[in-house]
Amino acid sequence: EPLKGSFPGADVPLAVYQIDHSPIDVIFVDETYRRPIGRGYLTIVSDSCTRVLAGFCASLDPPGALATGLALAHAILPKAQWLAERGISASWPIEGRPAKVYADNAAEFRGTMLERACKEHDIVMENRPKGLPNYGGHIERLFRTFMHRAQTLPGTTFSNTQERGEYDSDGKAMMTLKEFEQWFGTFVTKVYHQRPHRGIGRVPPIKLYEQFILGTDTQKGIGLPEPVGDEFKLRLDFMPFVERTIQEYGVLV
C-alpha cells in the first residue's frame, strides 16, 4: 500500500534536507576533442518540506565525500553568483544551514569529514533506518523526474539497454559535463521549481518556499535564514581531509 503523509520533522524549509547520488543517464564528451568519456554522477540535496532543490553536484567521479561536500556547500550558500557565471537568468533563493541532513547508509554519508563539518555548523546528520526504504521516497522520485528529462538529451543511455535498443549513445554524445551543469541548473530553476507539484498540494516548489519565508494573508512568514558569514571557510569545512601525525622524522605525506 502507498505510504501517505509528510516526512517526519519537515514542517518548514531547511528543517530537513535529503541527499543522495545517482548515475546520470547521459554519455559526456571531453571539452577538447569532444569525444565520449562515459557517464557522470549527480548528487542532489532536496528540501523535504517544499521539494525545492537546494543544491547539487555533477561529477565524473564515483559518489564519495568530495561530491557530498560540494553538493552540501552549494545547497547552503547563495547561488546568485553561481547562476550569473553560467549565464542563467533565473532566481534560486534557497540558502542557509539546514537543521538536519538525512541520507542513506552509504560510506560517504558516515565519514569523519561530514560528521565534523555538520558539527561545526550545528547540523544534525542522520542516516536512514535500515529496512525502511520509504524514508528515501521523496529524493528517489526527484531523481526519476530529473533522469526522465535527461533522457531527452543527445547521448542518453536511457533507463536500461532494452529501452535504448539500437540507439548509439556514444555516437550521439555531444554534451560536456559543464554544459550539462548549465542545462540542469536551467531546468531546475525555470521548469522544475515553477511546475505545480502533486506531493505539496499542486503548488510549485519555489512558490511554497516563498510562502513559508515571506508569509501569506493567513500565515506569518518564518523570515530569511541566517546568512553564512565566511563562505570560504564553509567550503573548506565540507571538503575531504586526511589526518597526519607529526613524528620524530617529520610528517609522512
Side-chain angles (χ1 to χ4, degrees), residues 144-238:
R144 286 197 294 271
T145 297
F146 292 153
M147 289 306 113
H148 179 73
R149 180 55 68 98
Q151 288 165 15
T152 65
L153 298 173
T156 178
T157 60
F158 296 93
S159 298
N160 51 61
T161 55
Q162 195 171 26
E163 186 179 354
R164 183 165 69 243
E166 298 298 320
Y167 183 83
D168 182 7
S169 299
D170 284 354
K172 299 287 186 180
M174 57 185 298
M175 181 175 280
T176 66
L177 187 67
K178 285 186 178 180
E179 291 166 347
F180 172 83
E181 190 179 68
Q182 182 183 34
W183 171 87
F184 186 71
T186 302
F187 172 70
V188 167
T189 55
K190 295 190 176 184
V191 180
Y192 170 72
H193 280 171
Q194 310 298 331
R195 183 184 296 165
H197 196 295
R198 185 171 55 186
I200 51 176
R202 298 193 177 278
V203 177
I206 200 66
K207 184 177 180 180
L208 183 59
Y209 175 79
E210 291 171 349
Q211 288 175 350
F212 269 105
I213 298 298
L214 303 176
T216 65
D217 293 338
T218 58
Q219 174 183 316
K220 185 178 180 181
I222 63 174
L224 294 171
E226 181 182 355
V228 175
D230 190 338
E231 296 185 9
F232 182 70
K233 179 181 183 302
L234 184 134
R235 293 182 191 276
L236 288 181
D237 288 341
F238 280 94

Side-chain angles (χ1 to χ4, degrees), residues 12 57 76 86 116 126-127 135 142-143 157 161 168 179 197 212 217 241 253:
V12 294
C57 173
I76 294 170
R86 288 154 184 81
R116 289 177 59 167
E126 191 168 313
N127 296 102
Y135 275 76
L142 191 53
F143 268 125
T157 60
T161 55
D168 182 7
E179 291 166 347
H197 196 295
F212 269 105
D217 293 338
F241 68 90
V253 179

Side-chain angles (χ1 to χ4, degrees), residues 27-38 60 173-177 179:
I27 298 293
F28 295 113
V29 299
D30 71 277
E31 296 185 9
T32 304
Y33 302 103
R34 312 292 294 191
R35 293 176 180 172
I37 55 176
L60 293 172
M174 57 185 298
M175 181 175 280
T176 66
L177 187 67
E179 291 166 347

Side-chain angles (χ1 to χ4, degrees), residues 26 64 106 139 174 205 227 243:
V26 177
I139 202 161
M174 57 185 298
E243 291 184 330

Side-chain angles (χ1 to χ4, degrees), residues 32-47:
T32 304
Y33 302 103
R34 312 292 294 191
R35 293 176 180 172
I37 55 176
R39 296 169 68 182
Y41 296 88
L42 182 66
T43 303
I44 61 174
V45 183
S46 173
D47 179 62

Side-chain angles (χ1 to χ4, degrees), residues 73-117:
H74 187 233
I76 294 170
L77 296 175
K79 300 167 186 62
Q81 183 178 347
W82 187 93
L83 292 167
E85 290 172 350
R86 288 154 184 81
I88 303 174
S89 56
S91 174
W92 198 344
I94 189 167
E95 63 177 271
R97 299 176 180 85
K100 179 186 290 187
V101 174
Y102 208 80
D104 64 20
N105 288 276
E108 61 269 18
F109 298 135
R110 294 182 286 107
T112 305
M113 177 277 290
L114 195 56
E115 292 176 359
R116 289 177 59 167

